[in-house]
Amino acid sequence: MAISDIREFAHLTDADVEALGRELDAIRSDIERSRGVRDARYIQNTIRLQRTLEVIGRLALFRSRERTWWLLGTASLSLAKIIENMELGHNVMHGQWDWMNDPEIHSTSWEWDQTGPSAHWKRAHNYAHHTYTNIVGMDDDVGFGILRMTRDEKWRPINLLQPVANVILAAGFEWGIALHDLTAAKDLAGVPHAQWNSEPNKEFAVKAGKQVLKDCVLFPAVTGPAWRSTLKANLTANLIRNLWAYAVIFCGHFPDGAEKFTPDEFERETRAQWYLRQLLGSANISGGKVMGFMTGNLSYQIEHHLFPDLPSNRYPEIAARVRALCGKYDLPYTTGSLGRQYWLALRTIHKLALPDRFLRATSDDAPETSSERKFRHVRANVGLSAITTDPITGRRRGLLTALRTHAEHAVAARRTKAAVRHRKTLATSSA
């Protein structure tokens, strides 16, 4: 099963975990004390850029019957929607800019350009996901209720359709998130899911109706003779935004190295252990400033899960300090290119669509799911204790070293089995 003892898995003592927590608290305090003019200028400039891009796109679409203007309008509108979704909507509603006390840029007042109501998203995401991150059975964002992303979840025949469901989810990501959040809102309100006139259903219908009316009727109508091409541009921009948001989210949550946890771990969790779970349950996307900005700085998913309410423009400097802490405590810092991270997530989606009898690894020792039990066989065979120190250098041997040792042991075991099979083949042929 998934990780049930995070200290054993991380190869840290209780004192180590608490010390790590204090160092992460210190990072939070430093950033909170230093928030100021440059951060305010960043978010204000981002809002101006997003609005400028949207105006350019809308104006260009008046001539969208000409291919060049259609491409310009669609590209500009796509960028505006991505920035509004990733760097503005997501981060503002996390409360990252509440410290400014600006009523326009505040988590309580921001309504994003997306199908689902922001109130639904904040309840499902800010609370449920960021509290129960990657806890199987508690965090509904593990597969969003339609994809099996860990072997801890029982296989069902419908999982055979995962590759198709994944494509549909990617193309309609805003609708998938909206429906996912609607379900969470109904659960919180305690209303039957089939009750069509419930308050959550009404809130969803009003917001979704406004979005459809805006993108499919009002904006196309404004451009007059170009309404058909404007409608096509609006739908294309929404599709591009959906695909990008989907890719960023999946790359930060589901590649190898983004660990899963059991409810047992959560029940006895301290604040420091919560930090450790966020660090081990997330993955980053490597890239420069453009990648950071276009992902809403969710390319720093580790830092976002550690500090979801700190300004996103500060994640790069936070990342340098978090990475140094990982080195100090010999913990992995999971990161990779956008292509690599998505390939690993996609591999999991297709692999776990199959029944377990077709899978070789277990939920204790699989690329996408593992637990503290994966190390026990190695310890028994090579004498690796749960927590050790290199006798020569004095350097900590923690989780990162344990993972390397485990991989080396697995390679050696495969070579030994291959050699045994080869000898048996030779013996059979000589006989």
Side-chain angles (χ1 to χ4, degrees), residues 50 53-58 60-61 70-84 113 214-215 219 230-238 240-241:
Q50 187 274 331
L53 286 169
E54 182 161 6
V55 169
I56 291 172
R58 295 298 179 194
L61 292 177
W70 186 88
L71 290 172
L72 173 62
T74 303
S76 185
L77 193 58
S78 298
L79 288 173
K81 284 179 174 287
I82 286 172
I83 294 170
E84 196 283 332
D113 179 30
K214 172 177 70 71
D215 285 336
F219 277 123
T230 300
L231 173 60
K232 180 182 176 183
N234 287 345
L235 296 177
T236 301
N238 282 342
I240 292 171
R241 185 269 314 279

PDB file of all heavy atoms in Angstrom, residues 50 53-58 60-61 70-84 113 214-215 219 230-238 240-241:
ATOM      1  N   GLN A  50      -2.334  40.707 -18.858  1.00  0.00           N
ATOM      2  CA  GLN A  50      -3.435  39.802 -19.209  1.00  0.00           C
ATOM      3  C   GLN A  50      -4.571  40.562 -19.879  1.00  0.00           C
ATOM      4  O   GLN A  50      -5.116  40.119 -20.902  1.00  0.00           O
ATOM      5  CB  GLN A  50      -3.928  39.088 -17.943  1.00  0.00           C
ATOM      6  CG  GLN A  50      -4.947  37.993 -18.203  1.00  0.00           C
ATOM      7  CD  GLN A  50      -6.375  38.508 -18.272  1.00  0.00           C
ATOM      8  OE1 GLN A  50      -6.707  39.519 -17.628  1.00  0.00           O
ATOM      9  NE2 GLN A  50      -7.216  37.839 -19.048  1.00  0.00           N
ATOM     10  N   LEU A  53      -3.546  41.673 -23.443  1.00  0.00           N
ATOM     11  CA  LEU A  53      -3.605  40.559 -24.389  1.00  0.00           C
ATOM     12  C   LEU A  53      -5.045  40.230 -24.771  1.00  0.00           C
ATOM     13  O   LEU A  53      -5.338  39.946 -25.943  1.00  0.00           O
ATOM     14  CB  LEU A  53      -2.935  39.322 -23.781  1.00  0.00           C
ATOM     15  CG  LEU A  53      -1.409  39.336 -23.703  1.00  0.00           C
ATOM     16  CD1 LEU A  53      -0.906  38.189 -22.840  1.00  0.00           C
ATOM     17  CD2 LEU A  53      -0.800  39.253 -25.106  1.00  0.00           C
ATOM     18  N   GLU A  54      -5.951  40.311 -23.821  1.00  0.00           N
ATOM     19  CA  GLU A  54      -7.347  40.012 -24.132  1.00  0.00           C
ATOM     20  C   GLU A  54      -7.940  41.080 -25.053  1.00  0.00           C
ATOM     21  O   GLU A  54      -8.663  40.756 -26.005  1.00  0.00           O
ATOM     22  CB  GLU A  54      -8.184  39.897 -22.863  1.00  0.00           C
ATOM     23  CG  GLU A  54      -9.630  39.536 -23.160  1.00  0.00           C
ATOM     24  CD  GLU A  54     -10.384  38.976 -21.986  1.00  0.00           C
ATOM     25  OE1 GLU A  54      -9.836  38.947 -20.873  1.00  0.00           O
ATOM     26  OE2 GLU A  54     -11.546  38.547 -22.176  1.00  0.00           O
ATOM     27  N   VAL A  55      -7.626  42.350 -24.795  1.00  0.00           N
ATOM     28  CA  VAL A  55      -8.129  43.423 -25.663  1.00  0.00           C
ATOM     29  C   VAL A  55      -7.586  43.265 -27.082  1.00  0.00           C
ATOM     30  O   VAL A  55      -8.323  43.390 -28.068  1.00  0.00           O
ATOM     31  CB  VAL A  55      -7.758  44.801 -25.089  1.00  0.00           C
ATOM     32  CG1 VAL A  55      -8.031  45.907 -26.115  1.00  0.00           C
ATOM     33  CG2 VAL A  55      -8.535  45.074 -23.810  1.00  0.00           C
ATOM     34  N   ILE A  56      -6.282  42.964 -27.198  1.00  0.00           N
ATOM     35  CA  ILE A  56      -5.680  42.757 -28.523  1.00  0.00           C
ATOM     36  C   ILE A  56      -6.389  41.615 -29.243  1.00  0.00           C
ATOM     37  O   ILE A  56      -6.721  41.702 -30.428  1.00  0.00           O
ATOM     38  CB  ILE A  56      -4.172  42.466 -28.391  1.00  0.00           C
ATOM     39  CG1 ILE A  56      -3.428  43.723 -27.918  1.00  0.00           C
ATOM     40  CG2 ILE A  56      -3.592  41.970 -29.722  1.00  0.00           C
ATOM     41  CD1 ILE A  56      -1.971  43.479 -27.588  1.00  0.00           C
ATOM     42  N   GLY A  57      -6.611  40.532 -28.521  1.00  0.00           N
ATOM     43  CA  GLY A  57      -7.291  39.383 -29.121  1.00  0.00           C
ATOM     44  C   GLY A  57      -8.698  39.707 -29.568  1.00  0.00           C
ATOM     45  O   GLY A  57      -9.108  39.344 -30.689  1.00  0.00           O
ATOM     46  N   ARG A  58      -9.449  40.389 -28.720  1.00  0.00           N
ATOM     47  CA  ARG A  58     -10.832  40.720 -29.070  1.00  0.00           C
ATOM     48  C   ARG A  58     -10.899  41.663 -30.269  1.00  0.00           C
ATOM     49  O   ARG A  58     -11.754  41.505 -31.154  1.00  0.00           O
ATOM     50  CB  ARG A  58     -11.533  41.358 -27.860  1.00  0.00           C
ATOM     51  CG  ARG A  58     -11.695  40.449 -26.657  1.00  0.00           C
ATOM     52  CD  ARG A  58     -12.556  39.260 -26.977  1.00  0.00           C
ATOM     53  NE  ARG A  58     -12.691  38.367 -25.811  1.00  0.00           N
ATOM     54  CZ  ARG A  58     -13.164  37.145 -25.887  1.00  0.00           C
ATOM     55  NH1 ARG A  58     -13.538  36.639 -27.057  1.00  0.00           N
ATOM     56  NH2 ARG A  58     -13.260  36.390 -24.809  1.00  0.00           N
ATOM     57  N   ALA A  60      -8.601  41.964 -32.654  1.00  0.00           N
ATOM     58  CA  ALA A  60      -8.153  41.250 -33.852  1.00  0.00           C
ATOM     59  C   ALA A  60      -9.270  40.385 -34.426  1.00  0.00           C
ATOM     60  O   ALA A  60      -9.368  40.208 -35.653  1.00  0.00           O
ATOM     61  CB  ALA A  60      -6.930  40.393 -33.524  1.00  0.00           C
ATOM     62  N   LEU A  61     -10.134  39.884 -33.569  1.00  0.00           N
ATOM     63  CA  LEU A  61     -11.191  38.983 -34.036  1.00  0.00           C
ATOM     64  C   LEU A  61     -12.292  39.693 -34.826  1.00  0.00           C
ATOM     65  O   LEU A  61     -13.100  39.036 -35.472  1.00  0.00           O
ATOM     66  CB  LEU A  61     -11.792  38.223 -32.852  1.00  0.00           C
ATOM     67  CG  LEU A  61     -10.844  37.202 -32.191  1.00  0.00           C
ATOM     68  CD1 LEU A  61     -11.500  36.546 -30.990  1.00  0.00           C
ATOM     69  CD2 LEU A  61     -10.387  36.144 -33.189  1.00  0.00           C
ATOM     70  N   TRP A  70      -7.190  36.004 -37.600  1.00  0.00           N
ATOM     71  CA  TRP A  70      -7.745  34.944 -36.758  1.00  0.00           C
ATOM     72  C   TRP A  70      -6.648  34.315 -35.898  1.00  0.00           C
ATOM     73  O   TRP A  70      -6.835  34.103 -34.699  1.00  0.00           O
ATOM     74  CB  TRP A  70      -8.407  33.868 -37.617  1.00  0.00           C
ATOM     75  CG  TRP A  70      -9.120  32.820 -36.787  1.00  0.00           C
ATOM     76  CD1 TRP A  70     -10.407  32.862 -36.350  1.00  0.00           C
ATOM     77  CD2 TRP A  70      -8.567  31.594 -36.287  1.00  0.00           C
ATOM     78  NE1 TRP A  70     -10.697  31.740 -35.598  1.00  0.00           N
ATOM     79  CE2 TRP A  70      -9.595  30.948 -35.544  1.00  0.00           C
ATOM     80  CE3 TRP A  70      -7.312  30.979 -36.387  1.00  0.00           C
ATOM     81  CZ2 TRP A  70      -9.393  29.714 -34.914  1.00  0.00           C
ATOM     82  CZ3 TRP A  70      -7.108  29.752 -35.750  1.00  0.00           C
ATOM     83  CH2 TRP A  70      -8.139  29.134 -35.031  1.00  0.00           C
ATOM     84  N   LEU A  71      -5.504  34.057 -36.515  1.00  0.00           N
ATOM     85  CA  LEU A  71      -4.392  33.464 -35.770  1.00  0.00           C
ATOM     86  C   LEU A  71      -3.898  34.405 -34.681  1.00  0.00           C
ATOM     87  O   LEU A  71      -3.624  33.977 -33.546  1.00  0.00           O
ATOM     88  CB  LEU A  71      -3.251  33.111 -36.725  1.00  0.00           C
ATOM     89  CG  LEU A  71      -3.508  31.934 -37.678  1.00  0.00           C
ATOM     90  CD1 LEU A  71      -2.381  31.820 -38.697  1.00  0.00           C
ATOM     91  CD2 LEU A  71      -3.659  30.628 -36.897  1.00  0.00           C
ATOM     92  N   LEU A  72      -3.775  35.711 -35.025  1.00  0.00           N
ATOM     93  CA  LEU A  72      -3.332  36.685 -34.026  1.00  0.00           C
ATOM     94  C   LEU A  72      -4.335  36.771 -32.879  1.00  0.00           C
ATOM     95  O   LEU A  72      -3.953  36.745 -31.699  1.00  0.00           O
ATOM     96  CB  LEU A  72      -3.176  38.066 -34.678  1.00  0.00           C
ATOM     97  CG  LEU A  72      -2.887  39.225 -33.709  1.00  0.00           C
ATOM     98  CD1 LEU A  72      -1.562  38.999 -32.995  1.00  0.00           C
ATOM     99  CD2 LEU A  72      -2.874  40.560 -34.462  1.00  0.00           C
ATOM    100  N   GLY A  73      -5.618  36.871 -33.207  1.00  0.00           N
ATOM    101  CA  GLY A  73      -6.636  36.976 -32.172  1.00  0.00           C
ATOM    102  C   GLY A  73      -6.704  35.742 -31.296  1.00  0.00           C
ATOM    103  O   GLY A  73      -6.813  35.839 -30.064  1.00  0.00           O
ATOM    104  N   THR A  74      -6.641  34.565 -31.914  1.00  0.00           N
ATOM    105  CA  THR A  74      -6.721  33.313 -31.155  1.00  0.00           C
ATOM    106  C   THR A  74      -5.504  33.138 -30.247  1.00  0.00           C
ATOM    107  O   THR A  74      -5.637  32.736 -29.086  1.00  0.00           O
ATOM    108  CB  THR A  74      -6.830  32.113 -32.110  1.00  0.00           C
ATOM    109  OG1 THR A  74      -7.978  32.284 -32.953  1.00  0.00           O
ATOM    110  CG2 THR A  74      -6.971  30.809 -31.339  1.00  0.00           C
ATOM    111  N   ALA A  75      -4.304  33.442 -30.774  1.00  0.00           N
ATOM    112  CA  ALA A  75      -3.081  33.306 -29.975  1.00  0.00           C
ATOM    113  C   ALA A  75      -3.096  34.267 -28.792  1.00  0.00           C
ATOM    114  O   ALA A  75      -2.772  33.888 -27.652  1.00  0.00           O
ATOM    115  CB  ALA A  75      -1.864  33.566 -30.849  1.00  0.00           C
ATOM    116  N   SER A  76      -3.475  35.517 -29.034  1.00  0.00           N
ATOM    117  CA  SER A  76      -3.504  36.509 -27.970  1.00  0.00           C
ATOM    118  C   SER A  76      -4.545  36.151 -26.912  1.00  0.00           C
ATOM    119  O   SER A  76      -4.285  36.251 -25.698  1.00  0.00           O
ATOM    120  CB  SER A  76      -3.803  37.886 -28.563  1.00  0.00           C
ATOM    121  OG  SER A  76      -3.719  38.885 -27.572  1.00  0.00           O
ATOM    122  N   LEU A  77      -5.700  35.687 -27.357  1.00  0.00           N
ATOM    123  CA  LEU A  77      -6.757  35.307 -26.425  1.00  0.00           C
ATOM    124  C   LEU A  77      -6.359  34.065 -25.627  1.00  0.00           C
ATOM    125  O   LEU A  77      -6.642  33.967 -24.425  1.00  0.00           O
ATOM    126  CB  LEU A  77      -8.048  35.052 -27.200  1.00  0.00           C
ATOM    127  CG  LEU A  77      -9.339  34.932 -26.386  1.00  0.00           C
ATOM    128  CD1 LEU A  77      -9.582  36.180 -25.563  1.00  0.00           C
ATOM    129  CD2 LEU A  77     -10.521  34.673 -27.321  1.00  0.00           C
ATOM    130  N   SER A  78      -5.682  33.119 -26.270  1.00  0.00           N
ATOM    131  CA  SER A  78      -5.220  31.913 -25.572  1.00  0.00           C
ATOM    132  C   SER A  78      -4.241  32.275 -24.458  1.00  0.00           C
ATOM    133  O   SER A  78      -4.340  31.763 -23.333  1.00  0.00           O
ATOM    134  CB  SER A  78      -4.559  30.951 -26.552  1.00  0.00           C
ATOM    135  OG  SER A  78      -5.462  30.516 -27.548  1.00  0.00           O
ATOM    136  N   LEU A  79      -3.287  33.152 -24.770  1.00  0.00           N
ATOM    137  CA  LEU A  79      -2.321  33.584 -23.754  1.00  0.00           C
ATOM    138  C   LEU A  79      -3.029  34.289 -22.602  1.00  0.00           C
ATOM    139  O   LEU A  79      -2.707  34.065 -21.435  1.00  0.00           O
ATOM    140  CB  LEU A  79      -1.280  34.509 -24.378  1.00  0.00           C
ATOM    141  CG  LEU A  79      -0.257  33.855 -25.305  1.00  0.00           C
ATOM    142  CD1 LEU A  79       0.610  34.920 -25.979  1.00  0.00           C
ATOM    143  CD2 LEU A  79       0.629  32.873 -24.526  1.00  0.00           C
ATOM    144  N   ALA A  80      -3.991  35.148 -22.938  1.00  0.00           N
ATOM    145  CA  ALA A  80      -4.726  35.873 -21.896  1.00  0.00           C
ATOM    146  C   ALA A  80      -5.466  34.903 -20.987  1.00  0.00           C
ATOM    147  O   ALA A  80      -5.473  35.065 -19.749  1.00  0.00           O
ATOM    148  CB  ALA A  80      -5.701  36.854 -22.540  1.00  0.00           C
ATOM    149  N   LYS A  81      -6.094  33.885 -21.557  1.00  0.00           N
ATOM    150  CA  LYS A  81      -6.844  32.914 -20.757  1.00  0.00           C
ATOM    151  C   LYS A  81      -5.912  32.066 -19.891  1.00  0.00           C
ATOM    152  O   LYS A  81      -6.244  31.741 -18.742  1.00  0.00           O
ATOM    153  CB  LYS A  81      -7.691  32.027 -21.680  1.00  0.00           C
ATOM    154  CG  LYS A  81      -8.951  32.723 -22.209  1.00  0.00           C
ATOM    155  CD  LYS A  81      -9.742  31.805 -23.136  1.00  0.00           C
ATOM    156  CE  LYS A  81     -11.065  32.438 -23.543  1.00  0.00           C
ATOM    157  NZ  LYS A  81     -12.047  32.453 -22.445  1.00  0.00           N
ATOM    158  N   ILE A  82      -4.752  31.693 -20.427  1.00  0.00           N
ATOM    159  CA  ILE A  82      -3.791  30.905 -19.651  1.00  0.00           C
ATOM    160  C   ILE A  82      -3.294  31.711 -18.453  1.00  0.00           C
ATOM    161  O   ILE A  82      -3.236  31.208 -17.321  1.00  0.00           O
ATOM    162  CB  ILE A  82      -2.616  30.458 -20.542  1.00  0.00           C
ATOM    163  CG1 ILE A  82      -3.068  29.339 -21.489  1.00  0.00           C
ATOM    164  CG2 ILE A  82      -1.442  29.979 -19.687  1.00  0.00           C
ATOM    165  CD1 ILE A  82      -2.032  28.972 -22.535  1.00  0.00           C
ATOM    166  N   ILE A  83      -2.912  32.964 -18.690  1.00  0.00           N
ATOM    167  CA  ILE A  83      -2.407  33.804 -17.604  1.00  0.00           C
ATOM    168  C   ILE A  83      -3.491  34.043 -16.556  1.00  0.00           C
ATOM    169  O   ILE A  83      -3.240  33.973 -15.353  1.00  0.00           O
ATOM    170  CB  ILE A  83      -1.886  35.139 -18.165  1.00  0.00           C
ATOM    171  CG1 ILE A  83      -0.657  34.899 -19.048  1.00  0.00           C
ATOM    172  CG2 ILE A  83      -1.530  36.102 -17.028  1.00  0.00           C
ATOM    173  CD1 ILE A  83      -0.213  36.111 -19.847  1.00  0.00           C
ATOM    174  N   GLU A  84      -4.717  34.310 -17.015  1.00  0.00           N
ATOM    175  CA  GLU A  84      -5.816  34.542 -16.076  1.00  0.00           C
ATOM    176  C   GLU A  84      -6.094  33.295 -15.236  1.00  0.00           C
ATOM    177  O   GLU A  84      -6.337  33.392 -14.030  1.00  0.00           O
ATOM    178  CB  GLU A  84      -7.085  34.933 -16.845  1.00  0.00           C
ATOM    179  CG  GLU A  84      -8.181  35.563 -15.981  1.00  0.00           C
ATOM    180  CD  GLU A  84      -8.956  34.545 -15.160  1.00  0.00           C
ATOM    181  OE1 GLU A  84      -9.072  33.373 -15.584  1.00  0.00           O
ATOM    182  OE2 GLU A  84      -9.441  34.925 -14.077  1.00  0.00           O
ATOM    183  N   ASP A 113     -12.215  33.279 -15.024  1.00  0.00           N
ATOM    184  CA  ASP A 113     -12.791  33.034 -16.353  1.00  0.00           C
ATOM    185  C   ASP A 113     -12.798  31.534 -16.619  1.00  0.00           C
ATOM    186  O   ASP A 113     -12.060  31.018 -17.456  1.00  0.00           O
ATOM    187  CB  ASP A 113     -11.961  33.782 -17.410  1.00  0.00           C
ATOM    188  CG  ASP A 113     -12.493  33.563 -18.825  1.00  0.00           C
ATOM    189  OD1 ASP A 113     -13.711  33.358 -18.972  1.00  0.00           O
ATOM    190  OD2 ASP A 113     -11.685  33.583 -19.777  1.00  0.00           O
ATOM    191  N   LYS A 214     -21.157  34.089 -22.744  1.00  0.00           N
ATOM    192  CA  LYS A 214     -20.085  35.030 -23.083  1.00  0.00           C
ATOM    193  C   LYS A 214     -19.288  34.548 -24.284  1.00  0.00           C
ATOM    194  O   LYS A 214     -19.050  35.305 -25.240  1.00  0.00           O
ATOM    195  CB  LYS A 214     -19.170  35.222 -21.874  1.00  0.00           C
ATOM    196  CG  LYS A 214     -17.911  36.033 -22.137  1.00  0.00           C
ATOM    197  CD  LYS A 214     -17.116  36.236 -20.868  1.00  0.00           C
ATOM    198  CE  LYS A 214     -16.481  34.966 -20.368  1.00  0.00           C
ATOM    199  NZ  LYS A 214     -15.347  34.518 -21.235  1.00  0.00           N
ATOM    200  N   ASP A 215     -18.828  33.285 -24.228  1.00  0.00           N
ATOM    201  CA  ASP A 215     -17.916  32.778 -25.258  1.00  0.00           C
ATOM    202  C   ASP A 215     -18.631  32.360 -26.545  1.00  0.00           C
ATOM    203  O   ASP A 215     -18.045  32.444 -27.627  1.00  0.00           O
ATOM    204  CB  ASP A 215     -17.127  31.579 -24.718  1.00  0.00           C
ATOM    205  CG  ASP A 215     -16.033  31.991 -23.747  1.00  0.00           C
ATOM    206  OD1 ASP A 215     -15.577  33.155 -23.830  1.00  0.00           O
ATOM    207  OD2 ASP A 215     -15.640  31.159 -22.910  1.00  0.00           O
ATOM    208  N   PHE A 219     -19.716  37.544 -27.312  1.00  0.00           N
ATOM    209  CA  PHE A 219     -18.509  37.987 -28.011  1.00  0.00           C
ATOM    210  C   PHE A 219     -18.567  37.709 -29.511  1.00  0.00           C
ATOM    211  O   PHE A 219     -18.160  38.554 -30.308  1.00  0.00           O
ATOM    212  CB  PHE A 219     -17.263  37.361 -27.381  1.00  0.00           C
ATOM    213  CG  PHE A 219     -16.771  38.107 -26.168  1.00  0.00           C
ATOM    214  CD1 PHE A 219     -16.641  37.465 -24.946  1.00  0.00           C
ATOM    215  CD2 PHE A 219     -16.442  39.452 -26.244  1.00  0.00           C
ATOM    216  CE1 PHE A 219     -16.197  38.151 -23.822  1.00  0.00           C
ATOM    217  CE2 PHE A 219     -15.997  40.147 -25.122  1.00  0.00           C
ATOM    218  CZ  PHE A 219     -15.877  39.490 -23.902  1.00  0.00           C
ATOM    219  N   THR A 230     -15.116  34.133 -34.953  1.00  0.00           N
ATOM    220  CA  THR A 230     -14.893  34.521 -33.558  1.00  0.00           C
ATOM    221  C   THR A 230     -15.295  33.390 -32.615  1.00  0.00           C
ATOM    222  O   THR A 230     -14.587  33.095 -31.644  1.00  0.00           O
ATOM    223  CB  THR A 230     -15.699  35.783 -33.215  1.00  0.00           C
ATOM    224  OG1 THR A 230     -15.277  36.852 -34.061  1.00  0.00           O
ATOM    225  CG2 THR A 230     -15.494  36.188 -31.763  1.00  0.00           C
ATOM    226  N   LEU A 231     -16.412  32.742 -32.901  1.00  0.00           N
ATOM    227  CA  LEU A 231     -16.825  31.597 -32.100  1.00  0.00           C
ATOM    228  C   LEU A 231     -15.773  30.499 -32.140  1.00  0.00           C
ATOM    229  O   LEU A 231     -15.412  29.918 -31.102  1.00  0.00           O
ATOM    230  CB  LEU A 231     -18.162  31.065 -32.608  1.00  0.00           C
ATOM    231  CG  LEU A 231     -18.672  29.758 -31.975  1.00  0.00           C
ATOM    232  CD1 LEU A 231     -18.862  29.928 -30.470  1.00  0.00           C
ATOM    233  CD2 LEU A 231     -19.969  29.293 -32.637  1.00  0.00           C
ATOM    234  N   LYS A 232     -15.256  30.229 -33.322  1.00  0.00           N
ATOM    235  CA  LYS A 232     -14.211  29.216 -33.470  1.00  0.00           C
ATOM    236  C   LYS A 232     -12.965  29.611 -32.682  1.00  0.00           C
ATOM    237  O   LYS A 232     -12.324  28.766 -32.030  1.00  0.00           O
ATOM    238  CB  LYS A 232     -13.873  29.041 -34.950  1.00  0.00           C
ATOM    239  CG  LYS A 232     -12.788  28.011 -35.224  1.00  0.00           C
ATOM    240  CD  LYS A 232     -12.493  27.932 -36.715  1.00  0.00           C
ATOM    241  CE  LYS A 232     -11.334  26.975 -36.998  1.00  0.00           C
ATOM    242  NZ  LYS A 232     -10.997  26.947 -38.454  1.00  0.00           N
ATOM    243  N   ALA A 233     -12.613  30.900 -32.705  1.00  0.00           N
ATOM    244  CA  ALA A 233     -11.435  31.373 -31.970  1.00  0.00           C
ATOM    245  C   ALA A 233     -11.637  31.227 -30.463  1.00  0.00           C
ATOM    246  O   ALA A 233     -10.721  30.807 -29.730  1.00  0.00           O
ATOM    247  CB  ALA A 233     -11.153  32.831 -32.323  1.00  0.00           C
ATOM    248  N   ASN A 234     -12.833  31.586 -29.985  1.00  0.00           N
ATOM    249  CA  ASN A 234     -13.114  31.459 -28.552  1.00  0.00           C
ATOM    250  C   ASN A 234     -13.003  30.014 -28.090  1.00  0.00           C
ATOM    251  O   ASN A 234     -12.404  29.715 -27.046  1.00  0.00           O
ATOM    252  CB  ASN A 234     -14.524  31.978 -28.248  1.00  0.00           C
ATOM    253  CG  ASN A 234     -14.624  33.489 -28.332  1.00  0.00           C
ATOM    254  OD1 ASN A 234     -13.615  34.185 -28.347  1.00  0.00           O
ATOM    255  ND2 ASN A 234     -15.841  33.993 -28.400  1.00  0.00           N
ATOM    256  N   LEU A 235     -13.589  29.106 -28.856  1.00  0.00           N
ATOM    257  CA  LEU A 235     -13.539  27.684 -28.490  1.00  0.00           C
ATOM    258  C   LEU A 235     -12.122  27.140 -28.565  1.00  0.00           C
ATOM    259  O   LEU A 235     -11.709  26.333 -27.729  1.00  0.00           O
ATOM    260  CB  LEU A 235     -14.472  26.881 -29.399  1.00  0.00           C
ATOM    261  CG  LEU A 235     -15.964  27.214 -29.285  1.00  0.00           C
ATOM    262  CD1 LEU A 235     -16.771  26.388 -30.289  1.00  0.00           C
ATOM    263  CD2 LEU A 235     -16.476  26.978 -27.871  1.00  0.00           C
ATOM    264  N   THR A 236     -11.354  27.604 -29.561  1.00  0.00           N
ATOM    265  CA  THR A 236      -9.959  27.166 -29.686  1.00  0.00           C
ATOM    266  C   THR A 236      -9.125  27.669 -28.520  1.00  0.00           C
ATOM    267  O   THR A 236      -8.304  26.925 -27.958  1.00  0.00           O
ATOM    268  CB  THR A 236      -9.354  27.671 -31.009  1.00  0.00           C
ATOM    269  OG1 THR A 236     -10.128  27.175 -32.103  1.00  0.00           O
ATOM    270  CG2 THR A 236      -7.910  27.218 -31.159  1.00  0.00           C
ATOM    271  N   ALA A 237      -9.328  28.926 -28.125  1.00  0.00           N
ATOM    272  CA  ALA A 237      -8.580  29.494 -26.994  1.00  0.00           C
ATOM    273  C   ALA A 237      -8.906  28.735 -25.706  1.00  0.00           C
ATOM    274  O   ALA A 237      -8.014  28.460 -24.893  1.00  0.00           O
ATOM    275  CB  ALA A 237      -8.904  30.980 -26.841  1.00  0.00           C
ATOM    276  N   ASN A 238     -10.174  28.403 -25.522  1.00  0.00           N
ATOM    277  CA  ASN A 238     -10.554  27.620 -24.335  1.00  0.00           C
ATOM    278  C   ASN A 238      -9.900  26.239 -24.355  1.00  0.00           C
ATOM    279  O   ASN A 238      -9.445  25.736 -23.320  1.00  0.00           O
ATOM    280  CB  ASN A 238     -12.072  27.460 -24.273  1.00  0.00           C
ATOM    281  CG  ASN A 238     -12.765  28.716 -23.767  1.00  0.00           C
ATOM    282  OD1 ASN A 238     -12.142  29.575 -23.163  1.00  0.00           O
ATOM    283  ND2 ASN A 238     -14.055  28.822 -24.024  1.00  0.00           N
ATOM    284  N   ILE A 240      -7.054  25.386 -25.868  1.00  0.00           N
ATOM    285  CA  ILE A 240      -5.615  25.545 -25.601  1.00  0.00           C
ATOM    286  C   ILE A 240      -5.376  25.762 -24.114  1.00  0.00           C
ATOM    287  O   ILE A 240      -4.468  25.168 -23.509  1.00  0.00           O
ATOM    288  CB  ILE A 240      -5.046  26.704 -26.435  1.00  0.00           C
ATOM    289  CG1 ILE A 240      -5.051  26.336 -27.919  1.00  0.00           C
ATOM    290  CG2 ILE A 240      -3.627  27.060 -25.978  1.00  0.00           C
ATOM    291  CD1 ILE A 240      -4.704  27.478 -28.846  1.00  0.00           C
ATOM    292  N   ARG A 241      -6.184  26.639 -23.505  1.00  0.00           N
ATOM    293  CA  ARG A 241      -6.062  26.874 -22.059  1.00  0.00           C
ATOM    294  C   ARG A 241      -6.288  25.592 -21.270  1.00  0.00           C
ATOM    295  O   ARG A 241      -5.551  25.281 -20.328  1.00  0.00           O
ATOM    296  CB  ARG A 241      -7.065  27.945 -21.651  1.00  0.00           C
ATOM    297  CG  ARG A 241      -7.017  28.425 -20.189  1.00  0.00           C
ATOM    298  CD  ARG A 241      -7.927  27.625 -19.265  1.00  0.00           C
ATOM    299  NE  ARG A 241      -9.247  27.405 -19.812  1.00  0.00           N
ATOM    300  CZ  ARG A 241     -10.231  28.290 -19.790  1.00  0.00           C
ATOM    301  NH1 ARG A 241     -10.057  29.468 -19.241  1.00  0.00           N
ATOM    302  NH2 ARG A 241     -11.413  27.977 -20.313  1.00  0.00           N
TER     303      ARG A 241
END
